[in-house]
Amino acid sequence: MSTPATQTATIQYDDKTVRQFMFFSVLWGLVGMLVGVICATQLSWWQMNGKFLEAISFGAIQADGISWLTFGRLRPLHTNAVIFAFVGNMMFAGVYYSTQRLCKVRTASDLLSKIHMWGWQLIIVSAAITLPAGLTRGKEYAELIWPINIAVALIWVIFAINFFWTLAKRNEPSIYVALWFYIATIVTVAMLYIVNHLSLPTSLTHSYPIFGGLQDALVQWWYGHNAVAFFLTTPILGIMYYFLPKAANRPVYSYRLSIIHFWSLVFIYIWAGPHHLLNTSLPRWLQMLGMLFSLMLWAPSWGGMLNGLLTLRGAWNKLRTDPVIKFFAAGVTFYGMATFEGPLLSIRAVNQLSHYTDWTIGHVHSGALGWNGFMAAGMFYWLAPRLWKTKLWSVSLANMHFWIGTVGILLYVAAMWTAGVMQGLMLGEVAEGGTTLKYEFVETLKAIQPQYILRSIGGTLFLVGFVLCAINLWKTARSGQPHDDTVEVAVPVKKHDTMTVRETLINDPVAYSILGCFTLCLWFFLPPHANIAALIVTALLAVKAVHGFRTRGTKWIDWHERLLHNYLPFTLLVFIAVAIGGAVQIIPSLIVNRDENVEGRLQELYTPLELAGRDIYVSEGCYNCHSQMIRMLMPDVMRYGRAGEKDDFSHLGESIYNHPFQWGSKRTGPDLAREGGDIVDGHTYMRSGARDNVWHYNHFMNPRQTSEGSNMPAYPWLFEKKADLKALPTKIAKQRQLGVPYPPMNQHDIIDKAQFQALEIGKSLAKAKVLQPAGLEMGEDEFAQYISETEVVALIAYMQKLGTYKIVEKDGPPEGTPLDPDSYRGVTVAPETGDTANITD
Amino acid sequence: MSEENSESEVKRGAFAKKKGEVILREHEYDGIQEFDQKLPNWWLFTFYFAIIWFVVYWVIYYHTDAYKTDSEKIVEKMEAIQERKEGELADALASINDQVLIEKWATDPEIVATGEATYMQVCIACHGTGLDAKMGDIPLSGRPLNDGEWQYGKAPMAIFEMINNGSPEGSGGYNGVPMVAKGGAMLTPEQVAQLTAFLISKNPDDYAGATFDENGKLIE
């Protein structure tokens, strides 16, 4: 079926951009992994948060902790560096290399390639400066501040233009499966990134996300989960589809498996986000969708693994000799392992144990180190000799990298699995009698210290392997000369890219899919009985679709073949497929889960000082270790709920005004949702909750003083830095715009209120004669004034407010709310059971 | 690519299709070829099964009342625990009084040691390891427990009550800081009693020559 060519053209590929991306991927990879190792050691030794500098500088630097070195600030740097800098640059290298060859054309614009390449590195550098400086949006993997967000979006658009322009100029009529995955990546990441980064700036470096509370949680994990899907998975699958058959010199196992697993993967992945919020106050129907779509995702994920591993059939002998095949085979296997574990962890019962513990950390690293790290290494080892027209400098060094890396991953993952399971079980263990818990939180933390050290060793081994890789690549490059491939290509008579929108959308497969999705959603959202009807219609549609495929299958196949000759219609359909899941989950929640619909517990608004404290909490990255979400699980309610309150899990209304939400994803420290308390008698604003001001004061100065065995960093700078009260009027004005019902206050009111509350707390600390920060020996009044202006008092004010709420009563029995499947359940099922009960009576 | 190893064993395109053999697609991309193997059955069936399970599970949860909601489930469990706790407290209160705590519990080294262990876990953050509400020179937020002053009464049952339920409502606490209840969520009544015994043993002067009424209540 080779297309008749009228002429040929000589093309030199732009491999310089590929070399540059590859160089930076390795460089940032080293940095990102090193930061990861530092973070890992911080969990074992609190001194790694800055105190260690005392020892290595022979006392020249004196500090119990250094702000820009604390775990809360470095962990976002680690995740952002390895995701966006290491994998990002690796992906771009692979995409630029393979797209040119699969399109038989040079990248459309060298200028855009340059802007893309250098712009991305500039973004990384600005991230590396702002994150340790404590400038953050407080949402995981979306921490970068808003000006950088705009830069990321712009550079991504430039990448997209360059990519699609190249597709438009292609000399290969049909687009190969690798390109499908690249298309899905570009479109979906743009959509996710933009929506999750919508914010209202309050200054050049600070903004509030426009979504709050559970809606912010939902949007965040729609983004977070699919950053894994469409930044760490689909582009790498595309790279696998190009580089693995190349390296193995074998045909891809199954074309039709490519089609089925591609479409099912991109459609289903998007729905799975809520599995990061299981057992929380996120509405049940969203949790159900998150869990059930995750289970359905298993097969599509394994489709990719099968196509990778089975392509190696007939080339397994190369496993012994070729390090590239070794890395690819292991990488794809780790992908299979991680995508098997993922659905497992999405089962609500399993998630009780894995969520908030190190099990999840182990899961993500089996994917990140095994799949991303090894696929990157395999690709680099394959590319380097070709990009510099030479031989790989040392095959045995690459083999050594492989074995050190593999042992590192296995140690890491095994340590995290055991740590997670062990701590999870300990946290849930009840004492004899069954009415109290057996272990204090810090006891469970101490118990997993051996595993934490093992994890640091595993991570270090992986880093060492990667250093070997960097040396090998460097030596390889030095042994050759930069080389850009030149090829003779046939230029086909252009018959492709002619499909109209009508042809794209009006045909059997698309019609069945869209209609099916529509009736499926009716099943979720329609009131009782109508929803069953919708389910039956969906089932009938499915049967009819199968029948249609059996009788007119060739027509469907021909249409899809033709679709592959038309990149824009293909892209349009990909966009529709990935847009549905998010829209069905997020839009109803935005409409239904609003403060005016909340019944029961509704969050108390923060006073100005408490809001300032909250922004410090976010800025210091406290959410990296502390959750604010008591799940609907007995161990959670027993540990964190108040004695005697039967329903003291976190309710949906309790955090509804939080921009950003701070439910957290990992408990290295205990949950903080019930930290706050009532206003202390005789005070206007000052509150005291589970622990008093002095406790918090001592705890921030030296966590080990109040909690022996804690691995939390000390925060000495909070006792010196002044809280930024001047920013409060703007911040509160922006919060009002976002729908937080603050009463009108002028800026003097706001600052006066904040100062008044700060002084209340300052006085309580001074009266208790707390230890003054190093070097200070003030009198009581002077100290009260001094400390009231510092960040620590604002942060204490926030801690004492956390999780406080008022009760909103609603009249009448619960009603079914449109777009809220959970509300119908309560309405319909209850009377029915009542009826049956009467009958049996 | 792959002249020797694939070409000989597979037939291309339409020919292979007719013969029911593995199809090697005719088109190649930058030298990459593709087989068109059938989807593995076990793979297909796991996929189908997951889809069916989705429908079945949703129907069971939303269209029947076989499952309770999360909030119903957790409230039921916590109610059961609460009931058991109340029972425990009632039993404890029936078995101890001031006299029993001073004469039996506070003199039993095993009980005192258990109480001390609990103290070191739960109380030292505010009351210090030496009961002086200090850590080195740093004053902590609690009251000293070794100065002979008992704000809410020195009777052991008053101390028990204080630990179990926290500062009395409206008392304002110490330096404006009320103590949070340690009974219920954290400690069992037995542990609270052990703690009380430990405190008595650490303040022997306060309880030397204590006298009791007929109900075992301390006469102050």
Side-chain angles (χ1 to χ4, degrees):
Chain A
M1 212 170 70
S2 57
T3 325
T6 49
Q7 58 186 92
T8 58
T10 308
I11 285 170
Q12 188 177 43
Y13 293 133
D14 168 25
D15 288 342
K16 187 180 171 196
T17 308
V18 180
R19 280 188 292 272
Q20 288 171 328
F21 274 126
M22 190 169 138
F23 171 81
F24 281 114
S25 173
V26 175
L27 178 71
W28 299 132
L30 288 170
V31 175
M33 290 177 208
L34 179 67
V35 176
V37 170
I38 293 173
C39 287
T41 59
Q42 287 175 331
L43 295 180
S44 297
W45 300 284
W46 64 269
Q47 293 89 340
M48 288 305 290
N49 291 285
K51 180 93 172 164
F52 71 100
L53 289 177
E54 256 180 51
I56 59 171
S57 71
F58 298 103
I61 301 167
Q62 289 281 346
D64 280 346
I66 291 183
S67 61
W68 46 271
L69 274 179
T70 44
F71 182 85
R73 297 192 189 186
L74 282 193
R75 191 243 175 192
L77 182 66
H78 165 62
T79 52
N80 278 278
V82 292
I83 296 171
F84 298 108
F86 168 54
V87 179
N89 278 310
M90 172 260 180
M91 167 217 307
F92 297 141
V95 169
Y96 273 82
Y97 186 88
S98 55
T99 302
Q100 298 183 78
R101 284 155 176 86
L102 290 169
C103 292
K104 293 186 183 153
V105 69
R106 186 183 171 92
T107 309
S109 162
D110 285 358
L111 177 67
L112 292 185
S113 301
K114 269 205 182 71
I115 299 176
H116 176 198
M117 211 294 294
W118 289 110
W120 197 255
Q121 311 318 319
L122 203 65
I123 287 165
I124 292 164
V125 171
S126 55
I129 294 167
T130 52
L131 289 175
L135 300 173
T136 172
R137 293 175 70 245
K139 296 178 53 158
E140 284 178 82
Y141 330 123
E143 282 100 345
L144 299 180
I145 51 175
W146 68 269
I148 308 180
N149 300 159
I150 292 175
V152 171
L154 282 179
I155 295 296
W156 196 262
V157 167
I158 285 183
F159 170 42
I161 293 172
N162 209 10
F163 176 83
F164 285 112
W165 191 0
T166 309
L167 286 191
K169 288 168 75 171
R170 72 190 185 280
N171 288 317
E172 164 61 71
S174 171
I175 52 177
Y176 176 60
V177 49
L179 296 174
W180 312 349
F181 280 101
Y182 300 159
I183 290 172
T185 302
I186 293 175
V187 170
T188 316
V189 170
M191 171 184 81
L192 296 167
Y193 196 88
I194 290 170
V195 175
N196 191 44
H197 285 80
L198 293 173
S199 357
L200 210 50
T202 66
S203 76
L204 193 62
T205 55
H206 182 262
S207 64
Y208 290 122
I210 66 164
F211 306 108
L214 84 154
Q215 296 168 348
D216 195 39
L218 181 62
V219 171
Q220 161 62 25
W221 285 112
W222 167 74
Y223 162 87
H225 174 69
N226 290 298
V228 174
F230 289 89
F231 207 92
L232 300 178
T233 304
T234 55
I236 316 304
L237 280 171
I239 282 168
M240 175 192 88
Y241 272 113
Y242 180 81
F243 290 92
L244 191 140
K246 278 268 177 196
N249 200 20
R250 291 283 305 160
V252 171
Y253 174 70
S254 172
Y255 171 68
R256 69 180 77 175
L257 182 58
S258 299
I259 298 176
I260 302 293
H261 103 91
F262 171 79
W263 286 107
S264 51
L265 189 84
V266 298
F267 174 72
I268 294 175
Y269 233 126
I270 285 284
W271 294 75
H275 71 208
H276 289 254
L277 302 164
L278 296 182
N279 302 306
T280 68
S281 56
L282 189 80
R284 175 67 186 253
W285 68 273
L286 287 164
Q287 297 188 32
M288 295 274 278
L289 287 179
M291 168 173 112
L292 295 168
F293 272 82
S294 301
L295 292 173
M296 283 191 279
L297 190 55
W298 178 45
S301 301
W302 269 34
M305 177 192 71
L306 289 177
N307 241 352
L309 286 183
L310 295 178
T311 297
L312 290 173
R313 286 214 297 206
W316 285 111
N317 56 324
K318 287 189 181 167
L319 200 62
R320 286 200 301 269
T321 51
D322 186 354
V324 173
I325 298 288
K326 246 182 220 167
F327 277 106
F328 281 162
V332 174
T333 307
F334 275 115
Y335 174 64
M337 202 173 83
T339 52
F340 174 74
E341 194 185 14
L344 179 76
L345 299 185
S346 303
I347 298 170
R348 280 161 41 96
V350 181
N351 195 269
Q352 298 187 2
L353 200 58
S354 71
H355 192 53
Y356 287 138
T357 70
D358 285 302
W359 192 350
T360 306
I361 318 298
H363 167 62
V364 79
H365 280 85
S366 74
L369 304 177
W371 163 244
N372 291 116
F374 272 15
M375 291 304 285
M379 186 185 89
F380 293 156
Y381 287 132
W382 189 87
L383 274 177
R386 287 164 176 84
L387 291 173
W388 280 276
K389 211 166 175 57
T390 178
K391 275 177 28 196
L392 187 63
W393 182 63
S394 168
V395 170
S396 48
L397 198 64
N399 282 330
M400 194 158 151
H401 169 199
F402 176 80
W403 288 112
I404 293 182
T406 305
V407 172
I409 299 171
L410 294 179
L411 262 185
Y412 189 111
V413 173
M416 290 293 90
W417 278 344
T418 44
V421 173
M422 195 168 132
Q423 190 179 24
L425 290 176
M426 282 180 83
L427 286 170
E429 201 166 330
V430 287
E432 220 179 313
T435 52
T436 53
L437 291 164
K438 189 163 179 188
Y439 299 105
E440 287 281 304
F441 190 91
V442 75
E443 289 179 272
T444 69
L445 179 70
K446 282 189 206 163
I448 56 170
Q449 279 307 314
Q451 282 93 326
Y452 271 6
I453 292 172
L454 264 188
R455 180 259 287 272
S456 294
I457 295 171
T460 307
L461 284 179
F462 192 85
L463 172 62
V464 168
F466 198 68
V467 170
L468 299 184
C469 174
I471 294 171
N472 209 351
L473 295 173
W474 180 255
K475 289 283 192 184
T476 304
R478 296 286 300 222
S479 74
Q481 289 295 325
H483 167 78
D484 292 7
D485 274 342
T486 308
V487 289
E488 195 83 3
V489 300
V491 180
V493 179
K494 186 156 179 176
K495 285 193 203 141
H496 51 274
D497 295 340
T498 53
M499 205 182 218
T500 60
V501 176
R502 202 186 142 77
E503 284 174 279
T504 311
L505 297 178
I506 314 287
N507 58 71
D508 278 5
V510 174
Y512 279 124
S513 307
I514 295 199
L515 261 178
C517 279
F518 181 70
T519 53
L520 195 69
C521 292
L522 292 182
W523 172 41
F524 301 153
F525 294 119
L526 282 183
H529 307 304
N531 53 13
I532 288 286
L535 175 63
I536 292 167
V537 174
T538 314
L540 289 176
L541 271 173
V543 171
K544 188 140 177 4
V546 170
H547 179 71
F549 180 67
R550 293 205 167 230
T551 50
R552 297 186 303 281
T554 16
K555 252 177 93 183
W556 292 34
I557 294 165
D558 290 344
W559 169 79
H560 194 266
E561 290 290 311
R562 218 165 102 60
L563 185 67
L564 297 181
H565 285 68
N566 293 275
Y567 77 103
L568 283 178
F570 185 90
T571 307
L572 175 68
L573 289 183
V574 169
F575 177 71
I576 293 172
V578 297
I580 292 173
V584 171
Q585 295 179 345
I586 295 169
I587 294 171
S589 176
L590 290 181
I591 295 168
V592 173
N593 303 124
R594 305 169 68 89
D595 55 353
E596 68 255 28
N597 296 334
V598 167
E599 192 175 348
R601 299 179 177 188
L602 182 66
Q603 187 181 0
E604 291 264 14
L605 296 185
Y606 298 117
T607 65
L609 185 71
E610 288 153 6
L611 184 67
R614 184 169 204 274
D615 288 338
I616 296 166
Y617 180 96
V618 170
S619 160
E620 293 299 344
C622 304
Y623 63 86
N624 286 291
C625 294
H626 292 282
S627 58
Q628 296 182 9
M629 171 49 60
I630 303 172
R631 294 175 294 169
M632 292 185 175
L633 302 171
M634 209 171 66
D636 265 41
V637 179
M638 278 180 84
R639 183 171 297 277
Y640 303 115
R642 289 157 300 186
E645 300 255 351
K646 290 174 299 226
D647 62 341
D648 211 23
F649 48 84
S650 292
H651 293 224
L652 171 158
E654 289 174 23
S655 57
I656 204 155
Y657 297 125
N658 281 347
H659 298 263
F661 86 112
Q662 292 285 281
W663 294 0
S665 67
K666 170 77 199 343
R667 286 178 185 152
T668 301
D671 186 89
L672 303 178
R674 292 280 170 266
E675 235 14 76
D678 295 334
I679 292 177
V680 178
D681 288 345
H683 292 76
T684 317
Y685 302 112
M686 191 180 93
R687 291 166 180 268
S688 187
R691 292 157 187 86
D692 59 81
N693 295 341
V694 177
W695 188 94
H696 284 296
Y697 179 95
N698 290 336
H699 185 242
F700 285 124
M701 190 176 270
N702 177 6
R704 277 143 298 279
Q705 187 195 311
T706 47
S707 322
E708 193 259 320
S710 163
N711 61 354
M712 180 168 136
Y715 288 84
W717 63 93
L718 295 179
F719 296 77
E720 290 158 20
K721 240 176 113 189
K722 303 275 178 241
D724 184 9
L725 302 186
K726 282 207 191 68
L728 283 172
T730 319
K731 283 180 173 176
I732 287 175
K734 297 294 171 188
Q735 293 251 335
R736 274 169 61 102
Q737 279 182 32
L738 292 173
V740 183
Y742 277 111
M745 289 182 277
N746 71 36
Q747 66 180 60
H748 298 293
D749 280 354
I750 290 171
I751 292 177
D752 286 350
K753 254 189 192 174
Q755 284 171 339
F756 186 86
Q757 185 178 2
L759 203 58
E760 280 187 336
I761 297 170
K763 279 181 184 159
S764 81
L765 292 171
K767 196 170 153 212
K769 300 203 171 35
V770 291
L771 184 72
Q772 300 189 3
L776 293 185
E777 284 176 32
M778 295 180 178
E780 193 175 313
D781 290 343
E782 194 190 359
F783 180 69
Q785 182 62 40
Y786 165 82
I787 203 71
S788 74
E789 292 170 15
T790 59
E791 289 197 332
V792 73
V793 161
L795 192 51
I796 289 173
Y798 173 59
M799 303 309 300
Q800 303 290 25
K801 180 63 168 276
L802 253 175
T804 52
Y805 55 82
K806 58 189 177 200
I807 300 289
V808 181
E809 308 276 3
K810 289 258 159 82
D811 298 333
E815 290 169 20
T817 318
L819 293 179
D820 183 358
D822 293 329
S823 70
Y824 296 131
R825 189 180 190 276
V827 172
T828 57
V829 175
E832 273 172 21
T833 50
D835 290 344
T836 47
N838 287 340
I839 291 161
T840 47
D841 282 350
Chain B
M1 72 169 198
S2 61
E3 306 78 36
E4 347 48 58
N5 53 11
S6 62
E7 213 90 331
S8 55
E9 51 190 64
V10 285
K11 310 290 191 294
R12 283 184 171 244
F15 176 75
K17 205 172 203 171
K18 250 180 246 155
K19 296 273 173 181
E21 292 175 21
V22 175
I23 300 163
L24 182 67
R25 287 170 56 80
E26 293 187 6
H27 194 73
E28 50 180 77
Y29 299 87
D30 193 33
I32 300 172
Q33 293 178 298
E34 291 165 290
F35 285 123
D36 198 12
Q37 298 267 18
K38 283 197 169 140
L39 307 178
N41 271 335
W42 64 268
W43 179 84
L44 263 182
F45 281 101
T46 50
F47 197 15
Y48 294 155
F49 179 76
I51 294 170
I52 291 165
W53 175 241
F54 166 47
V55 175
V56 169
Y57 191 78
W58 189 283
V59 166
I60 292 176
Y61 183 78
Y62 280 106
H63 303 302
T64 76
D65 54 349
Y67 280 107
K68 292 195 181 91
T69 66
D70 291 331
S71 122
E72 285 162 1
K73 263 195 284 191
I74 185 73
V75 167
E76 213 167 83
K77 280 185 195 164
M78 293 311 291
E79 261 169 0
I81 290 181
Q82 192 60 32
E83 222 166 86
R84 225 178 313 158
K85 272 184 189 168
E86 277 157 18
E88 271 181 4
L89 185 61
D91 289 350
L93 290 176
S95 66
I96 54 172
N97 57 34
D98 292 342
Q99 190 170 6
V100 172
L101 281 172
I102 292 174
E103 291 176 354
K104 298 237 173 73
W105 288 59
T107 53
D108 181 336
E110 216 169 287
I111 290 176
V112 170
T114 323
E116 181 168 11
T118 308
Y119 179 88
M120 292 301 163
Q121 282 270 340
V122 182
C123 314
I124 55 167
C126 298
H127 297 286
T129 46
L131 287 76
D132 53 359
K134 278 196 175 128
M135 184 190 228
D137 293 332
I138 309 166
L140 301 172
S141 50
R143 290 176 197 274
L145 300 177
N146 58 358
D147 60 355
E149 279 183 41
W150 299 97
Q151 177 72 19
Y152 304 108
K154 77 167 182 179
M157 288 314 289
I159 298 175
F160 179 96
E161 164 79 11
M162 171 71 193
I163 301 173
N164 202 43
N165 296 335
S167 308
E169 222 165 293
S171 71
Y174 180 57
N175 288 333
V177 180
M179 182 173 118
V180 176
K182 297 296 185 293
M186 237 184 269
L187 303 177
T188 60
E190 192 187 1
Q191 285 174 304
V192 174
Q194 288 162 347
L195 251 180
T196 311
F198 167 70
L199 292 179
I200 297 168
S201 76
K202 281 285 175 183
N203 292 282
D205 296 348
D206 295 357
Y207 300 97
T211 51
F212 307 95
D213 68 10
E214 68 276 18
N215 295 323
K217 199 171 152 42
L218 184 75
I219 300 168
E220 293 182 59

